[in-house]
Amino acid sequence: MRELFDLQGSYNEVTGGLYSGDPYPIWHRLREEAPVHAGTVHELTGIPDTLYFQGLPFPDRPHFSAFSFEACNEAFRNPAVFASSPEAVDAGPEARIPGQNMLAMGGTQHRRYRGLVQPSFLPSNAGWWMRNWIEETVHLLVDDFAAEGRAELNVDFCAAIPVLTITGSFGVPMEQALDIRAALGRDQQAIVDILTPIVAARRADPLDDLVSILVQAEFADEHGATQRLSDEEIHTFSLLLLAAGSGTTWKQMGTTITALLQRPDVLEAVRADRTLLRPAIEEALRWMPTDPMFSRWVTEDIEFHGQAIPAGSVLHMCVGAANRDPERWDDPDEFDITRKVKPTLAFGQGAHICLGMHVARGEMTTGINALLDRLPNLRLDPGAPAPSFVGMYERGATAIPVLFDPK
Ligand code: HEM
């Protein structure tokens, strides 16, 4: 468990887990020089390694990176020019991508597919996620350490909540949740082997879970005939949800908790007035989004914020830099939960805006509320190394050792 969720361990090395610097001053300088630069975000930040993330490494394509809010926002909102896959550049915006997940789809294929699953992820459905999976998971985890007076919140709490929520919604027994997490990105077949019997069981006998909704979802194909998702389509969607939903919320929750623990007066204010929790979560998403970069493939030669970008290039949108653009936020480096909440790019924008953002918010809200309700005098452990923020393309806090009054 610790190796899986060690941000500086082998699992995260390929996305720049060993980077422990503060990229924000460099990104400010880059944005001041020009909103869009030639090169990748990590090269421009001073990391020469080959890193992997959305849009990387693609060594045969030219790379550009956008650092201003305006440029990143524009790219997210213009899928005709900034497509979500290289196939869209090579075969056109309506290219159908067999076997690919919705993140890479474009046009009608993306709209149809997203429309099928979106209802389960709307804010009006957040209660369903909370009741079925999030609340029970959160309280079981707190039960585990509430009597101890100390805990390490990164692994023992933050990491476990999203994995157990997503695997729970897929009907995967808790004992197999870690096998799934370990196999993510390494052994897809192992995950498919766990999911296959569950999908078959729900086709025969649906329950109140996400996999049952997926097996029953109906759509009209291009000939008007009613279709259901194939096993392969359900597996592909499950793999995307597991990848997109488990690593992100873990790190974003750890970042939010760390930012609060580092500012005991702010933590106390949130404890006393829980209406402040929502702005605290939104401010952490702005201040330190866990994935500070997403990419698009450029479909035509363009002049973009002063850069000539040829068709076929990869554009990296540095949402970390965009979220601290002083044109949009005063004192952008300050973690200030009293600032007026404005949309950020932490969950992206446009057609691909994070499908799971309301689930993520529900997990973070339920998790942090439970800590504040159940752990009196919660504070960083002064005898242990203080948490710090690490990582290039997947950023988050190192261990978060805390003390509290045992119950
Ligand atoms: C704090 C946690 C999270 C962050 C910061 C985050 C961030 C993002 C971002 C930036 C995108 C857009 C990517 C792009 O445009 O290329 C995205 C897409 C997506 N996210 Fe999240 N995400 C989080 C949690 C979740 C959760 C919990 C789930 C599932 C329950 C989820 C499922 C998805 C899916 C399915 C997509 C693809 C949507 C599409 O292509 O239409 N995410 N996420």
Side-chain angles (χ1 to χ4, degrees):
M1 178 89 178
R2 290 204 180 271
E3 172 60 13
L4 278 180
F5 292 105
D6 176 0
L7 269 174
Q8 292 169 307
S10 62
Y11 276 79
N12 293 302
E13 211 174 317
V14 293
T15 61
L18 294 177
Y19 177 72
S20 58
D22 177 2
Y24 283 95
I26 302 169
W27 294 345
H28 279 312
R29 177 180 52 74
L30 288 163
R31 192 195 316 96
E32 277 158 24
E33 284 167 16
V36 182
H37 289 252
T40 67
V41 171
H42 67 277
E43 284 161 4
L44 291 160
T45 310
I47 304 173
D49 311 352
T50 298
L51 297 185
Y52 291 77
F53 202 66
Q54 192 198 32
L56 286 170
F58 288 92
D60 299 333
R61 291 179 184 270
H63 292 259
F64 294 84
S65 297
F67 292 91
S68 70
F69 182 89
E70 208 189 327
C72 293
N73 194 35
E74 199 178 317
F76 271 121
R77 288 170 177 276
N78 187 351
V81 176
F82 301 100
S84 293
S85 71
E87 287 82 355
V89 177
D90 302 335
E94 289 295 332
R96 289 181 61 81
I97 313 171
Q100 266 290 15
N101 67 45
M102 80 166 92
L103 198 52
M105 291 175 191
T108 318
Q109 190 189 13
H110 175 257
R111 265 193 305 282
R112 197 204 74 185
Y113 200 93
R114 182 160 169 140
L116 267 184
V117 293
Q118 180 130 316
S120 304
F121 292 87
L122 292 175
S124 52
N125 220 32
W128 180 73
W129 286 87
M130 304 269 212
R131 275 189 314 278
N132 280 340
W133 300 288
I134 302 174
E135 277 164 7
E136 191 190 351
T137 303
V138 160
H139 285 284
L140 278 174
L141 292 167
V142 180
D143 288 347
D144 237 24
F145 52 68
E148 310 263 319
R150 60 171 62 236
E152 193 290 280
L153 295 180
N154 190 32
V155 171
D156 296 343
F157 192 67
C158 301
I161 295 167
V163 183
L164 293 174
T165 301
I166 303 285
T167 51
S169 76
F170 273 93
V172 174
M174 227 182 238
E175 313 79 72
Q176 281 181 315
L178 266 193
D179 298 340
I180 291 229
R181 174 72 205 174
L184 254 187
R186 300 193 162 194
D187 183 2
Q188 296 210 348
Q189 192 53 47
I191 301 180
V192 170
D193 290 345
I194 294 175
L195 295 176
T196 301
I198 300 172
V199 174
R202 296 302 189 275
R203 283 202 195 279
D205 192 8
L207 297 176
D208 183 26
D209 57 18
L210 187 64
V211 72
S212 302
I213 292 173
L214 295 178
V215 298
Q216 294 178 90
E218 290 186 339
F219 60 93
D221 67 14
E222 44 269 59
H223 313 293
T226 302
Q227 298 279 359
R228 289 192 170 183
L229 291 171
S230 65
D231 279 12
E232 197 202 340
E233 285 173 310
I234 293 178
H235 293 154
T236 305
F237 180 60
S238 319
L239 288 166
L240 170 63
L241 272 198
L242 287 162
S246 63
T248 45
T249 316
W250 149 45
K251 285 172 286 187
Q252 194 65 45
M253 183 161 1
T255 293
T256 312
I257 292 171
T258 303
L260 292 172
L261 287 164
Q262 287 172 335
R263 297 163 181 77
D265 51 327
V266 183
L267 181 71
E268 247 347 277
V270 174
R271 185 196 292 280
D273 176 2
R274 296 307 168 81
T275 63
L276 296 177
L277 182 53
R278 178 69 196 263
I281 288 171
E282 297 304 314
E283 175 64 351
L285 281 159
R286 181 197 70 79
W287 180 71
M288 188 89 65
T290 177
D291 294 347
M293 183 282 276
F294 284 89
S295 300
R296 292 294 185 264
W297 283 262
V298 181
T299 59
E300 58 188 60
D301 293 345
I302 46 157
E303 185 72 24
F304 189 59
H305 293 263
Q307 271 288 344
I309 303 186
S313 303
V314 189
L315 178 74
H316 305 287
M317 300 163 294
C318 185
V319 304
N323 278 0
R324 292 201 194 185
D325 188 335
E327 290 280 316
R328 188 168 167 87
W329 288 281
D330 294 334
D331 296 326
D333 292 324
E334 290 302 309
F335 176 81
D336 176 4
I337 71 166
T338 66
R339 69 170 79 238
K340 189 171 174 306
V341 175
K342 290 184 195 171
T344 76
L345 298 181
F347 287 122
Q349 248 316 332
H352 289 271
I353 193 166
C354 179
L355 181 73
M357 62 186 171
H358 304 299
V359 178
R361 287 180 170 124
E363 289 172 328
M364 293 191 278
T365 307
T366 311
I368 298 172
N369 263 329
L371 296 180
L372 295 176
D373 285 341
R374 297 189 53 192
L375 307 179
N377 199 14
L378 178 67
R379 60 204 185 277
L380 281 173
D381 179 351
S388 62
F389 297 108
V390 295
M392 183 68 234
Y393 291 132
E394 294 190 81
R395 286 184 64 72
T398 52
I400 312 171
V402 291
L403 301 178
F404 43 88
D405 300 345
K407 271 204 176 164

